[in-house]
């Protein structure tokens, strides 16, 4: 995630509410927003404002102010970390930012950037899902593939792959590929290794400002902070991109990370973090979208 995204969250102000968003109607698509959503302000928002993942029981959040683990039902916080980036990474590489996280096999996988150093050290770091403690394990991603940092990470467990994509600074040009690594390499190569690229996937159309992505039913769903605040799906085998829906947000809001889990029709399958900026306040909220039929 880049400076525009960081500054949007950094101004977050006070109190926590849950309710229904006032926003433009969604276009008629196969997806609708559920009635329920979570909303935070103050420090609670700073801890959650970049990424989200889930294991079906808990949501795992990352933000400029730390990391949080909370129950999916009732949003009861069970663990937190105020300064999750360890000195091993911040002192050595200048790591200063965590993007959209992923959950797999008892780990929270965090994409870690060094924006203050010009995005020269894209990393993936592993945290214990139990208490969000840093495991001491991290890997480098090849800089040639990730020249603008690493804004998100997604796991395709069925294929044994981990996906990222480069961040594009030119919104008109967009990102035209996915980069795939072997999940086994992420978990077992010596800490500090550079992950070898398993393959790259050429997208059928470029996507600008992908803030987060998650696998669901064999497709990669991307939360895109374009003008329409879109969600696209990608076939990771062919690279075919399909428009899914625009998010039910205000035009000035900033869409962030995305998680995928089927909680049923009332709970939705796609769960997306957004930073809202109303007339009097800046806040954070998590919305849920359910597929019709």
């Amino acid at each position: 995630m880049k400076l525009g995204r960081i500054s949007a969250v950094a101004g977050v102000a006070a109190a926590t509410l849950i309710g229904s968003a006032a926003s433009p109607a969604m276009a008629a698509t196969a997806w609708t927003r559920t009635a329920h959503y979570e909303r935070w302000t103050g420090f609670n928002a700073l801890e959650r404002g970049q990424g989200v993942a889930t294991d079906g029981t808990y949501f795992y959040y990352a933000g400029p102010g730390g990391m949080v683990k909370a129950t999916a039902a009732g949003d009861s916080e069970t663990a937190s970390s105020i300064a999750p980036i360890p000195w091993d990474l911040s002192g050595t590489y200048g790591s200063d930012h965590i993007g959209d996280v992923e959950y797999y096999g008892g780990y929270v996988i965090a994409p870690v950037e060094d924006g203050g150093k010009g995005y020269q050290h894209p990393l993936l770091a592993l945290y214990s899902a139990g208490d969000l403690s840093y495991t001491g394990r991290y890997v480098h991603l090849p800089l040639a593939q990730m020249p603008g940092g690493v804004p998100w990470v997604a796991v395709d467990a069925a294929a044994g792959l981990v996906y990222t994509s480069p961040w594009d600074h030119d919104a008109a040009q967009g990102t035209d590929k996915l980069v795939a690594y072997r999940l086994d390499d992420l978990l077992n190569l010596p800490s500090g290794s550079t992950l070898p690229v398993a393959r790259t996937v050429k997208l059928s159309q470029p996507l600008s400002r992908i803030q987060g992505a998650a696998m669901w039913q064999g497709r990669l769903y991307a939360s895109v902070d374009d003008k329409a605040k879109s969600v696209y799906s990608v076939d990771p085998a062919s690279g075919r991109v399909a428009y899914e829906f625009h998010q039910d947000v205000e035009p000035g809001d900033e869409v962030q990370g995305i998680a995928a889990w089927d909680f049923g029709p009332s709970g939705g399958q796609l769960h997306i973090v957004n930073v809202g900026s109303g007339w009097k306040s800046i806040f954070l909220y998590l919305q849920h979208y359910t597929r019709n039929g």
Side-chain angles (χ1 to χ4, degrees):
M1 183 171 234
K2 313 304 163 225
L3 288 177
R5 292 178 283 174
I6 296 171
S7 61
V9 183
V12 177
T16 301
L17 299 171
I18 296 179
S20 254
S23 52
M26 289 174 57
T29 71
W31 294 88
T32 55
R33 180 174 65 82
T34 69
H36 176 76
Y37 77 99
E38 289 76 29
R39 184 179 188 271
W40 309 275
T41 56
F43 188 70
N44 286 331
L46 284 171
E47 290 181 308
R48 308 175 190 229
Q50 305 290 288
V52 61
T54 186
D55 59 6
T57 301
Y58 301 96
F59 280 113
Y60 303 89
Y61 302 92
M67 298 176 71
V68 166
K69 175 182 180 181
T71 57
D75 189 42
S76 176
E77 187 173 314
T78 63
S80 65
S81 175
I82 295 175
I85 299 178
W87 176 251
D88 285 357
L89 304 185
S90 60
T92 304
Y93 304 113
S95 302
D96 56 13
H97 179 264
I98 293 176
D100 185 30
V101 295
E102 176 66 290
Y103 171 86
Y104 177 78
Y107 295 110
V108 175
I109 306 168
V112 181
E113 300 178 330
D114 60 328
K117 296 289 187 180
Y119 302 104
Q120 295 302 298
H121 300 284
L123 308 174
L124 297 179
L126 271 59
Y127 295 79
S128 168
D131 60 4
L132 302 182
S133 60
Y134 175 54
T135 64
R137 178 168 183 76
Y138 73 96
V139 294
H140 295 269
L141 301 182
L143 181 59
Q145 298 286 353
M146 309 297 294
V150 51
W152 60 270
V153 60
V155 169
D156 184 349
L161 294 173
V162 179
Y163 286 102
T164 65
S165 70
W167 174 260
D168 61 284
H169 294 282
D170 182 352
Q173 180 180 359
T175 296
D176 66 354
K177 67 180 177 182
L178 302 177
V179 185
Y181 316 88
R182 285 176 286 273
L183 180 59
D184 186 67
D185 287 345
L186 171 64
L187 299 177
N188 295 303
L189 285 180
S191 183
S193 297
T194 297
L195 283 188
V197 174
R199 65 188 181 101
T200 59
V201 181
K202 180 78 171 180
L203 300 182
S204 63
Q205 70 179 74
L207 296 176
S208 296
R209 297 180 60 81
I210 301 175
Q211 301 275 52
M215 290 294 303
W216 186 63
Q217 292 190 340
R219 296 187 69 84
L220 187 75
Y221 286 81
S223 173
V224 177
D225 193 47
D226 57 8
K227 186 175 181 180
K229 312 298 183 181
S230 307
V231 171
Y232 289 87
S233 66
V234 179
D235 180 343
S238 68
R240 182 180 177 275
V241 175
Y243 173 80
E244 295 292 337
F245 60 93
H246 73 261
Q247 297 181 48
D248 193 12
V249 299
E250 298 287 352
D253 294 355
E254 188 172 13
V255 303
Q256 302 285 355
I258 181 171
W261 191 276
D262 190 356
F263 288 103
S266 62
Q269 293 83 41
L270 298 180
H271 319 279
I272 307 175
V273 170
N274 303 280
V275 175
S277 55
W279 180 55
K280 292 183 177 180
S281 65
I282 300 175
F283 54 91
L284 183 76
Y285 54 105
L286 178 72
Q287 295 194 128
H288 312 276
Y289 294 86
T290 189
R291 188 170 180 87
N292 305 316

